[in-house]
Coordinates of all heavy atoms in Angstrom, one line a residue:
F1 N 74.2 179.5 -28.0 CA 74.4 178.8 -26.7 C 75.8 179.2 -26.2 O 76.8 179.0 -26.9 CB 74.4 177.3 -26.9 CG 74.6 176.4 -25.7 CD1 73.7 176.4 -24.7 CD2 75.8 175.7 -25.6 CE1 74.0 175.7 -23.6 CE2 76.1 174.9 -24.5 CZ 75.1 174.9 -23.5
K2 N 75.9 179.7 -25.0 CA 77.1 180.1 -24.4 C 77.2 179.4 -23.0 O 76.3 179.4 -22.2 CB 77.1 181.6 -24.2 CG 78.4 182.1 -23.6 CD 78.4 183.6 -23.5 CE 79.7 184.1 -22.9 NZ 79.7 185.6 -22.6
R3 N 78.4 178.8 -22.8 CA 78.6 178.2 -21.4 C 79.8 178.8 -20.9 O 80.9 178.9 -21.5 CB 78.8 176.7 -21.6 CG 78.9 176.0 -20.3 CD 79.0 174.5 -20.5 NE 80.4 174.2 -20.4 CZ 80.9 173.0 -20.5 NH1 80.1 172.0 -20.8 NH2 82.2 172.8 -20.2
T4 N 79.7 179.2 -19.6 CA 80.9 179.8 -18.9 C 81.5 178.8 -18.0 O 80.8 178.0 -17.3 CB 80.5 181.1 -18.2 OG1 79.4 180.7 -17.3 CG2 80.0 182.2 -19.1
V5 N 82.8 178.8 -17.8 CA 83.4 177.9 -16.9 C 84.0 178.8 -15.8 O 84.8 179.7 -16.1 CB 84.5 177.1 -17.6 CG1 85.3 176.3 -16.6 CG2 83.9 176.2 -18.7
N6 N 83.7 178.5 -14.6 CA 84.3 179.2 -13.4 C 85.5 178.3 -13.0 O 85.3 177.3 -12.4 CB 83.3 179.3 -12.3 CG 83.9 179.9 -11.1 OD1 85.0 180.3 -11.1 ND2 83.1 180.1 -10.1
P7 N 86.7 178.7 -13.3 CA 87.9 177.9 -13.0 C 88.0 177.6 -11.5 O 88.6 176.6 -11.1 CB 89.1 178.6 -13.5 CG 88.6 180.0 -13.7 CD 87.1 180.0 -13.9
N8 N 87.5 178.4 -10.6 CA 87.6 178.1 -9.2 C 89.0 177.8 -8.8 O 89.2 177.0 -7.9 CB 86.6 177.0 -8.8 CG 86.3 177.0 -7.4 OD1 86.4 177.9 -6.7 ND2 85.9 175.8 -6.9
A9 N 90.0 178.4 -9.4 CA 91.4 178.0 -9.2 C 91.9 178.2 -7.8 O 92.8 177.4 -7.3 CB 92.3 178.8 -10.1
E10 N 91.4 179.1 -7.1 CA 91.9 179.3 -5.7 C 91.5 178.2 -4.7 O 92.2 177.9 -3.7 CB 91.4 180.7 -5.1 CG 89.9 180.7 -4.9 CD 89.2 181.2 -6.1 OE1 89.8 181.4 -7.1 OE2 88.0 181.2 -6.0
N11 N 90.5 177.4 -5.1 CA 90.1 176.3 -4.3 C 90.6 174.9 -4.8 O 90.4 173.9 -4.1 CB 88.6 176.2 -4.1 CG 88.1 177.4 -3.4 OD1 88.7 178.0 -2.5 ND2 86.9 177.9 -3.9
L12 N 91.3 174.9 -5.9 CA 91.7 173.6 -6.4 C 93.1 173.2 -5.8 O 93.9 174.0 -5.6 CB 91.8 173.6 -8.0 CG 90.5 173.8 -8.7 CD1 90.9 173.9 -10.2 CD2 89.6 172.7 -8.5
V13 N 93.2 171.9 -5.6 CA 94.6 171.4 -5.2 C 95.1 170.4 -6.3 O 94.3 170.0 -7.2 CB 94.4 170.6 -3.8 CG1 94.0 171.6 -2.7 CG2 93.5 169.5 -3.9
Q14 N 96.4 170.2 -6.2 CA 97.0 169.4 -7.2 C 96.5 167.9 -7.2 O 96.3 167.3 -6.1 CB 98.5 169.4 -7.0 CG 99.3 168.6 -8.0 CD 100.8 168.8 -7.7 OE1 101.2 169.7 -6.9 NE2 101.6 168.0 -8.3
E15 N 96.3 167.4 -8.4 CA 95.9 166.0 -8.5 C 97.0 165.1 -8.1 O 98.2 165.5 -8.3 CB 95.5 165.6 -9.9 CG 94.2 166.3 -10.4 CD 93.9 166.0 -11.9 OE1 94.8 165.8 -12.7 OE2 92.7 166.0 -12.2
E16 N 96.7 163.9 -7.5 CA 97.8 163.0 -7.0 C 97.6 161.6 -7.6 O 96.5 161.2 -7.8 CB 97.7 162.9 -5.5 CG 98.0 164.2 -4.8 CD 97.9 164.1 -3.3 OE1 97.7 162.9 -2.8 OE2 97.9 165.1 -2.6
L17 N 98.7 161.0 -8.0 CA 98.7 159.6 -8.6 C 99.7 158.8 -7.8 O 100.8 159.2 -7.7 CB 99.0 159.7 -10.1 CG 99.3 158.3 -10.7 CD1 98.1 157.4 -10.7 CD2 99.8 158.5 -12.1
E18 N 99.2 157.6 -7.4 CA 100.1 156.6 -6.8 C 100.0 155.4 -7.7 O 98.9 154.9 -8.0 CB 99.6 156.3 -5.4 CG 100.7 155.6 -4.6 CD 100.3 155.6 -3.1 OE1 99.8 156.6 -2.6 OE2 100.5 154.5 -2.5
S19 N 101.1 154.9 -8.3 CA 101.1 153.9 -9.3 C 102.1 152.8 -8.9 O 103.2 153.0 -8.5 CB 101.5 154.5 -10.6 OG 101.5 153.5 -11.6
Y20 N 101.6 151.5 -9.1 CA 102.5 150.3 -8.9 C 102.3 149.5 -10.1 O 101.3 149.3 -10.7 CB 101.9 149.5 -7.7 CG 101.9 150.3 -6.4 CD1 100.8 151.0 -6.0 CD2 103.1 150.5 -5.6 CE1 100.7 151.7 -4.8 CE2 103.0 151.3 -4.5 CZ 101.9 151.9 -4.1 OH 101.8 152.6 -3.0
E21 N 103.5 148.9 -10.5 CA 103.5 148.1 -11.8 C 104.5 147.0 -11.7 O 105.6 147.2 -11.2 CB 103.8 149.0 -12.9 CG 104.0 148.3 -14.3 CD 104.3 149.3 -15.4 OE1 103.8 150.5 -15.4 OE2 104.9 148.9 -16.3
I22 N 104.1 145.9 -12.2 CA 105.0 144.7 -12.4 C 105.0 144.3 -13.8 O 103.9 144.1 -14.4 CB 104.7 143.5 -11.5 CG1 104.7 143.9 -10.0 CG2 105.6 142.3 -11.8 CD1 104.2 142.8 -9.1
S23 N 106.1 144.3 -14.5 CA 106.1 144.0 -15.9 C 107.2 143.0 -16.3 O 108.2 142.9 -15.6 CB 106.2 145.2 -16.8 OG 107.4 145.9 -16.6
M24 N 107.0 142.4 -17.4 CA 108.0 141.4 -17.9 C 107.9 141.5 -19.4 O 106.9 141.5 -20.0 CB 107.6 140.0 -17.4 CG 108.5 138.9 -17.9 SD 108.1 137.3 -17.3 CE 106.6 137.0 -18.1
N25 N 109.1 141.5 -20.0 CA 109.2 141.4 -21.5 C 110.5 140.7 -21.9 O 111.4 140.5 -21.1 CB 109.2 142.8 -22.1 CG 110.3 143.7 -21.6 OD1 111.4 143.3 -21.4 ND2 109.9 144.9 -21.3
G26 N 110.4 140.2 -23.1 CA 111.6 139.4 -23.6 C 111.4 139.0 -25.0 O 110.4 139.3 -25.7
Q27 N 112.4 138.2 -25.4 CA 112.4 137.7 -26.8 C 112.9 136.3 -26.8 O 113.7 135.9 -26.0 CB 113.4 138.5 -27.7 CG 113.0 140.0 -27.7 CD 114.1 140.8 -28.4 OE1 115.2 140.4 -28.5 NE2 113.7 142.0 -28.8
L28 N 112.3 135.5 -27.6 CA 112.7 134.1 -27.8 C 112.9 133.7 -29.2 O 112.5 134.4 -30.1 CB 111.6 133.2 -27.1 CG 111.3 133.4 -25.7 CD1 110.0 132.7 -25.3 CD2 112.4 133.0 -24.8
F29 N 113.5 132.5 -29.4 CA 113.6 132.0 -30.8 C 114.3 132.9 -31.7 O 113.8 133.3 -32.8 CB 112.3 131.5 -31.4 CG 111.5 130.6 -30.4 CD1 110.2 131.0 -30.0 CD2 112.0 129.4 -30.0 CE1 109.5 130.3 -29.1 CE2 111.3 128.6 -29.1 CZ 110.0 129.0 -28.7
R30 N 115.5 133.4 -31.3 CA 116.3 134.3 -32.1 C 115.5 135.6 -32.5 O 115.5 136.0 -33.6 CB 116.8 133.7 -33.4 CG 117.7 132.5 -33.2 CD 118.3 132.1 -34.5 NE 118.8 130.7 -34.4 CZ 119.1 130.0 -35.4 NH1 119.0 130.4 -36.7 NH2 119.6 128.7 -35.2
N31 N 114.8 136.1 -31.5 CA 114.0 137.3 -31.6 C 112.8 137.2 -32.5 O 112.2 138.2 -32.8 CB 114.9 138.5 -32.0 CG 116.0 138.8 -31.0 OD1 115.9 138.5 -29.9 ND2 117.1 139.3 -31.6
S32 N 112.4 136.0 -32.9 CA 111.2 135.8 -33.6 C 110.0 136.1 -32.8 O 109.0 136.5 -33.3 CB 111.2 134.4 -34.3 OG 112.2 134.3 -35.2
L33 N 110.0 135.7 -31.5 CA 108.9 135.9 -30.6 C 109.2 137.0 -29.6 O 110.3 136.8 -28.9 CB 108.6 134.6 -29.9 CG 107.4 134.6 -29.0 CD1 106.1 134.9 -29.7 CD2 107.4 133.4 -28.1
Q34 N 108.4 138.0 -29.5 CA 108.6 139.1 -28.6 C 107.4 139.1 -27.7 O 106.2 139.0 -28.2 CB 108.8 140.4 -29.2 CG 110.1 140.4 -30.1 CD 110.1 141.8 -30.8 OE1 109.2 142.5 -30.9 NE2 111.3 142.0 -31.5
Y35 N 107.5 139.2 -26.4 CA 106.4 139.3 -25.5 C 106.5 140.4 -24.5 O 107.6 140.9 -24.2 CB 106.2 137.9 -24.8 CG 107.4 137.5 -23.9 CD1 107.4 137.9 -22.6 CD2 108.4 136.8 -24.5 CE1 108.5 137.6 -21.8 CE2 109.5 136.4 -23.7 CZ 109.5 136.8 -22.4 OH 110.6 136.5 -21.6
N36 N 105.4 140.8 -24.0 CA 105.3 141.9 -23.0 C 104.1 141.8 -22.1 O 103.0 141.5 -22.7 CB 105.3 143.2 -23.8 CG 105.5 144.4 -22.9 OD1 105.8 144.3 -21.8 ND2 105.4 145.6 -23.5
A37 N 104.2 141.8 -20.8 CA 103.1 141.6 -19.9 C 103.2 142.6 -18.8 O 104.3 143.0 -18.4 CB 103.0 140.2 -19.4
R38 N 102.1 143.1 -18.3 CA 102.1 144.2 -17.3 C 100.9 144.0 -16.4 O 99.8 143.8 -16.8 CB 102.0 145.5 -18.0 CG 101.9 146.7 -17.1 CD 101.9 148.0 -18.0 NE 101.7 149.1 -17.1 CZ 100.7 150.0 -17.2 NH1 99.7 149.8 -18.0 NH2 100.6 151.0 -16.3
I39 N 101.1 144.1 -15.1 CA 100.0 144.1 -14.1 C 100.2 145.5 -13.4 O 101.3 145.8 -13.0 CB 100.2 143.0 -13.0 CG1 100.1 141.6 -13.7 CG2 99.1 143.1 -11.9 CD1 100.4 140.5 -12.9
F40 N 99.1 146.2 -13.2 CA 99.2 147.6 -12.6 C 98.1 147.9 -11.7 O 97.0 147.4 -11.8 CB 99.3 148.6 -13.7 CG 98.1 148.7 -14.6 CD1 97.1 149.6 -14.3 CD2 98.0 147.9 -15.7 CE1 96.0 149.7 -15.1 CE2 96.9 148.0 -16.5 CZ 95.9 148.9 -16.2
V41 N 98.3 148.8 -10.8 CA 97.3 149.5 -9.9 C 97.7 150.9 -9.9 O 98.9 151.3 -9.7 CB 97.5 148.9 -8.4 CG1 96.5 149.6 -7.5 CG2 97.2 147.4 -8.4
E42 N 96.7 151.8 -10.1 CA 96.8 153.2 -10.1 C 95.7 153.8 -9.3 O 94.6 153.5 -9.4 CB 96.8 153.8 -11.5 CG 97.9 153.3 -12.4 CD 97.8 153.7 -13.8 OE1 96.7 154.1 -14.3 OE2 98.8 153.6 -14.5
Q43 N 96.1 154.7 -8.3 CA 95.2 155.4 -7.4 C 95.3 156.9 -7.6 O 96.3 157.4 -7.4 CB 95.5 155.0 -6.0 CG 95.4 153.5 -5.7 CD 95.9 153.1 -4.4 OE1 96.8 153.7 -3.8 NE2 95.3 152.0 -3.8
F44 N 94.2 157.5 -8.1 CA 94.2 158.9 -8.3 C 93.3 159.6 -7.2 O 92.3 159.1 -6.8 CB 93.4 159.2 -9.6 CG 94.2 158.7 -10.9 CD1 94.0 157.5 -11.3 CD2 95.1 159.5 -11.5 CE1 94.6 157.0 -12.5 CE2 95.7 159.1 -12.6 CZ 95.5 157.8 -13.1
D45 N 93.9 160.7 -6.6 CA 93.1 161.5 -5.7 C 93.1 162.9 -6.1 O 93.9 163.4 -6.9 CB 93.9 161.4 -4.3 CG 93.8 160.0 -3.7 OD1 92.7 159.4 -3.7 OD2 94.8 159.5 -3.1
N46 N 92.1 163.6 -5.6 CA 91.9 165.0 -5.9 C 91.7 165.3 -7.4 O 92.2 166.3 -7.9 CB 93.0 165.9 -5.4 CG 93.2 165.8 -3.9 OD1 92.2 165.7 -3.2 ND2 94.4 165.8 -3.4
L47 N 91.1 164.4 -8.1 CA 90.9 164.6 -9.6 C 90.0 165.8 -9.8 O 89.0 166.1 -9.1 CB 90.2 163.4 -10.2 CG 91.1 162.1 -10.4 CD1 90.2 161.0 -10.9 CD2 92.2 162.4 -11.3
I48 N 90.4 166.6 -10.7 CA 89.7 167.8 -11.1 C 88.5 167.4 -12.0 O 88.7 166.7 -13.0 CB 90.5 168.9 -11.8 CG1 91.6 169.3 -10.8 CG2 89.7 170.0 -12.3 CD1 92.7 170.2 -11.4
S49 N 87.3 167.7 -11.6 CA 86.1 167.3 -12.4 C 85.3 168.5 -12.6 O 85.5 169.6 -12.0 CB 85.3 166.2 -11.7 OG 84.9 166.6 -10.5
E50 N 84.3 168.4 -13.4 CA 83.5 169.6 -13.8 C 82.0 169.3 -13.4 O 81.4 168.4 -13.8 CB 83.6 169.7 -15.3 CG 83.1 171.0 -15.8 CD 83.4 171.1 -17.3 OE1 83.7 170.1 -18.0 OE2 83.3 172.2 -17.8
D51 N 81.5 170.1 -12.5 CA 80.1 170.1 -12.1 C 79.4 171.0 -13.1 O 79.6 172.2 -13.2 CB 79.8 170.6 -10.7 CG 80.4 169.7 -9.6 OD1 80.5 168.5 -10.0 OD2 80.7 170.2 -8.6
I52 N 78.5 170.4 -13.9 CA 77.9 171.1 -15.1 C 76.4 171.3 -14.8 O 75.7 170.4 -14.4 CB 78.1 170.3 -16.3 CG1 79.5 170.1 -16.6 CG2 77.4 171.0 -17.5 CD1 79.8 169.2 -17.8
N53 N 75.9 172.5 -15.1 CA 74.5 172.7 -15.2 C 74.3 173.3 -16.6 O 75.2 173.3 -17.5 CB 73.9 173.6 -14.1 CG 74.6 175.1 -14.1 OD1 74.9 175.6 -15.2 ND2 74.7 175.6 -12.9
F54 N 73.1 173.9 -16.9 CA 72.7 174.2 -18.3 C 73.7 175.3 -18.9 O 74.1 175.1 -20.1 CB 71.3 174.8 -18.3 CG 70.9 175.1 -19.7 CD1 70.7 174.1 -20.6 CD2 70.7 176.5 -20.1 CE1 70.2 174.4 -21.9 CE2 70.3 176.8 -21.3 CZ 70.1 175.8 -22.3
N55 N 74.1 176.3 -18.2 CA 74.9 177.3 -18.9 C 76.2 177.6 -18.1 O 76.9 178.6 -18.5 CB 74.1 178.6 -19.0 CG 73.7 179.2 -17.7 OD1 73.9 178.5 -16.7 ND2 73.1 180.3 -17.7
S56 N 76.7 176.8 -17.2 CA 77.9 177.1 -16.5 C 78.5 175.8 -16.0 O 77.9 174.7 -15.9 CB 77.8 178.1 -15.4 OG 77.0 177.5 -14.4
A57 N 79.8 175.8 -15.6 CA 80.5 174.7 -15.1 C 81.4 175.2 -14.0 O 82.0 176.3 -14.1 CB 81.3 174.0 -16.2
L58 N 81.5 174.4 -13.0 CA 82.4 174.7 -11.8 C 83.4 173.5 -11.7 O 83.1 172.4 -11.6 CB 81.5 174.8 -10.6 CG 82.3 175.1 -9.3 CD1 83.0 176.4 -9.3 CD2 81.4 175.0 -8.1
L59 N 84.7 173.9 -11.7 CA 85.8 172.9 -11.5 C 86.0 172.6 -10.0 O 86.1 173.5 -9.2 CB 87.1 173.4 -12.1 CG 87.0 173.7 -13.6 CD1 88.4 174.2 -14.1 CD2 86.7 172.4 -14.4
T60 N 86.0 171.3 -9.7 CA 86.3 171.0 -8.3 C 87.2 169.8 -8.2 O 87.5 169.1 -9.2 CB 84.9 170.5 -7.6 OG1 84.4 169.4 -8.3 CG2 83.9 171.7 -7.7
N61 N 87.7 169.5 -7.0 CA 88.5 168.3 -6.7 C 87.7 167.2 -6.0 O 88.1 166.6 -5.0 CB 89.7 168.7 -5.8 CG 90.8 169.4 -6.5 OD1 90.9 170.6 -6.3 ND2 91.6 168.8 -7.3
N62 N 86.5 166.9 -6.5 CA 85.7 166.0 -5.7 C 85.7 164.6 -6.2 O 84.8 163.8 -5.9 CB 84.2 166.5 -5.7 CG 83.6 166.6 -7.1 OD1 84.3 166.3 -8.1 ND2 82.4 166.9 -7.2
S63 N 86.7 164.2 -7.0 CA 86.7 162.9 -7.6 C 88.0 162.1 -7.2 O 89.0 162.7 -7.0 CB 86.6 162.9 -9.1 OG 85.4 163.5 -9.5
E64 N 87.9 160.8 -7.2 CA 89.0 159.9 -7.1 C 88.7 158.7 -7.8 O 87.6 158.4 -8.2 CB 89.3 159.6 -5.6 CG 88.2 159.0 -4.8 CD 88.5 158.9 -3.3 OE1 89.0 159.9 -2.7 OE2 88.2 157.8 -2.8
S65 N 89.8 158.0 -8.2 CA 89.6 156.8 -9.0 C 90.7 155.7 -8.7 O 91.9 156.1 -8.5 CB 89.7 157.2 -10.5 OG 89.5 156.1 -11.3
D66 N 90.4 154.5 -8.7 CA 91.3 153.4 -8.6 C 91.2 152.5 -9.8 O 90.1 152.1 -10.2 CB 91.0 152.5 -7.4 CG 91.2 153.3 -6.1 OD1 92.0 154.2 -6.0 OD2 90.6 152.9 -5.1
L67 N 92.3 152.3 -10.5 CA 92.4 151.4 -11.7 C 93.3 150.3 -11.4 O 94.4 150.4 -10.8 CB 93.0 152.3 -12.9 CG 92.3 153.5 -13.3 CD1 93.1 154.3 -14.4 CD2 90.9 153.2 -13.7
R68 N 92.9 149.1 -11.9 CA 93.6 147.9 -11.7 C 93.5 147.2 -13.1 O 92.5 147.1 -13.7 CB 93.1 147.0 -10.6 CG 93.2 147.5 -9.3 CD 92.5 146.7 -8.2 NE 92.7 147.2 -6.9 CZ 91.9 148.1 -6.3 NH1 90.9 148.6 -7.0 NH2 92.2 148.6 -5.2
G69 N 94.6 146.5 -13.5 CA 94.5 145.8 -14.8 C 95.7 145.0 -15.1 O 96.7 145.0 -14.4
V70 N 95.5 144.3 -16.2 CA 96.5 143.4 -16.8 C 96.5 143.7 -18.3 O 95.5 143.8 -18.9 CB 96.2 141.9 -16.5 CG1 97.2 141.0 -17.2 CG2 96.1 141.6 -15.0
E71 N 97.7 143.8 -18.8 CA 97.9 144.1 -20.3 C 99.0 143.1 -20.8 O 99.9 142.7 -20.1 CB 98.3 145.5 -20.6 CG 97.3 146.5 -20.2 CD 97.9 147.9 -20.4 OE1 99.1 148.1 -20.5 OE2 97.1 148.8 -20.5
G72 N 98.9 142.7 -22.0 CA 99.9 141.9 -22.6 C 99.9 142.0 -24.2 O 98.9 142.4 -24.7
E73 N 101.0 141.6 -24.7 CA 101.1 141.6 -26.2 C 102.2 140.6 -26.6 O 103.1 140.3 -25.9 CB 101.4 143.0 -26.8 CG 102.6 143.6 -26.3 CD 102.8 145.0 -26.8 OE1 102.3 145.3 -27.9 OE2 103.4 145.8 -26.1
V74 N 101.9 140.0 -27.8 CA 102.9 139.0 -28.3 C 103.0 139.4 -29.8 O 102.1 139.6 -30.5 CB 102.3 137.6 -28.2 CG1 103.2 136.6 -28.8 CG2 102.2 137.2 -26.7
H75 N 104.3 139.3 -30.3 CA 104.6 139.5 -31.7 C 105.4 138.4 -32.2 O 106.4 138.0 -31.5 CB 105.3 140.8 -31.9 CG 104.7 142.0 -31.4 ND1 103.6 142.6 -32.0 CD2 104.9 142.7 -30.2 CE1 103.2 143.7 -31.2 NE2 104.0 143.7 -30.1
Y76 N 105.0 137.7 -33.3 CA 105.8 136.6 -33.8 C 106.1 136.9 -35.3 O 105.1 137.1 -36.1 CB 105.0 135.3 -33.7 CG 105.8 134.1 -34.1 CD1 106.9 133.7 -33.4 CD2 105.5 133.4 -35.3 CE1 107.7 132.6 -33.8 CE2 106.2 132.4 -35.7 CZ 107.3 132.0 -35.0 OH 108.1 130.9 -35.4
R77 N 107.3 136.9 -35.6 CA 107.7 137.1 -37.0 C 107.7 135.8 -37.7 O 108.5 134.9 -37.5 CB 109.1 137.8 -37.0 CG 109.6 138.0 -38.5 CD 110.5 139.1 -38.7 NE 110.2 140.4 -38.1 CZ 109.4 141.4 -38.6 NH1 108.8 141.1 -39.7 NH2 109.2 142.5 -38.0
L78 N 106.7 135.6 -38.6 CA 106.6 134.4 -39.4 C 107.6 134.3 -40.5 O 108.3 133.2 -40.6 CB 105.2 134.4 -40.0 CG 104.0 134.4 -39.1 CD1 102.7 134.6 -39.8 CD2 103.9 133.1 -38.3
T79 N 107.8 135.4 -41.2 CA 108.9 135.5 -42.2 C 109.5 136.9 -42.1 O 109.0 137.7 -41.3 CB 108.3 135.2 -43.6 OG1 107.5 136.3 -44.0 CG2 107.6 133.9 -43.7
T80 N 110.4 137.2 -43.0 CA 110.9 138.6 -43.0 C 109.8 139.6 -43.4 O 109.9 140.8 -43.1 CB 112.1 138.7 -44.0 OG1 111.7 138.3 -45.3 CG2 113.3 137.9 -43.4
D81 N 108.8 139.1 -44.1 CA 107.7 140.0 -44.6 C 106.4 139.9 -43.8 O 105.5 140.8 -44.0 CB 107.4 139.7 -46.1 CG 108.6 140.0 -47.0 OD1 109.3 140.9 -46.7 OD2 108.7 139.3 -48.0
W82 N 106.2 138.9 -43.0 CA 105.0 138.7 -42.2 C 105.3 138.6 -40.7 O 106.1 138.0 -40.2 CB 104.3 137.4 -42.7 CG 103.8 137.5 -44.1 CD1 104.4 137.2 -45.2 CD2 102.5 137.9 -44.4 NE1 103.6 137.4 -46.3 CE2 102.4 137.9 -45.8 CE3 101.4 138.3 -43.7 CZ2 101.2 138.2 -46.5 CZ3 100.2 138.7 -44.4 CH2 100.2 138.6 -45.8
K83 N 104.3 139.4 -40.0 CA 104.4 139.4 -38.5 C 103.0 139.2 -38.0 O 102.1 139.9 -38.5 CB 105.0 140.8 -38.1 CG 105.2 140.9 -36.6 CD 105.9 142.3 -36.4 CE 106.0 142.6 -34.9 NZ 106.6 143.9 -34.7
L84 N 102.9 138.4 -37.0 CA 101.6 138.1 -36.4 C 101.6 138.7 -35.0 O 102.6 138.5 -34.2 CB 101.4 136.6 -36.3 CG 100.1 136.1 -35.6 CD1 98.9 136.6 -36.5 CD2 100.1 134.6 -35.5
S85 N 100.6 139.5 -34.6 CA 100.6 140.2 -33.3 C 99.2 140.0 -32.7 O 98.2 139.9 -33.3 CB 100.8 141.7 -33.5 OG 102.1 142.0 -34.1
A86 N 99.3 140.0 -31.3 CA 98.1 139.9 -30.5 C 98.3 140.6 -29.2 O 99.4 140.7 -28.7 CB 97.7 138.4 -30.2
G87 N 97.2 141.2 -28.7 CA 97.3 141.9 -27.4 C 96.0 141.8 -26.7 O 94.9 141.5 -27.2
F88 N 96.1 142.1 -25.4 CA 94.9 142.0 -24.6 C 95.1 143.1 -23.4 O 96.2 143.5 -23.1 CB 94.6 140.7 -24.0 CG 95.7 140.2 -23.0 CD1 95.5 140.5 -21.7 CD2 96.8 139.5 -23.4 CE1 96.4 140.1 -20.7 CE2 97.7 139.2 -22.5 CZ 97.6 139.4 -21.2
S89 N 93.9 143.5 -22.9 CA 94.0 144.4 -21.7 C 92.7 144.2 -20.9 O 91.7 143.7 -21.4 CB 94.2 145.8 -22.0 OG 93.2 146.3 -22.8

């Protein structure tokens, strides 16, 4: 099985990303508790994607994507030997 990729480089343009983020982090209780939170929006334009058929592929800029999300994590040092951590996204 052989698949050829036509890079189509002369027709590709640079991918673009526009990103916005608000974040907060800190420490409490003599650094025993550490927290981190992030809200973000990312907008991708001109994503390079691959149009695939059985034996060849063509690279194009026909994709875009919008990502939105929230992430967070907490770490708590129970003792010098034990640490409890949790995260979400």
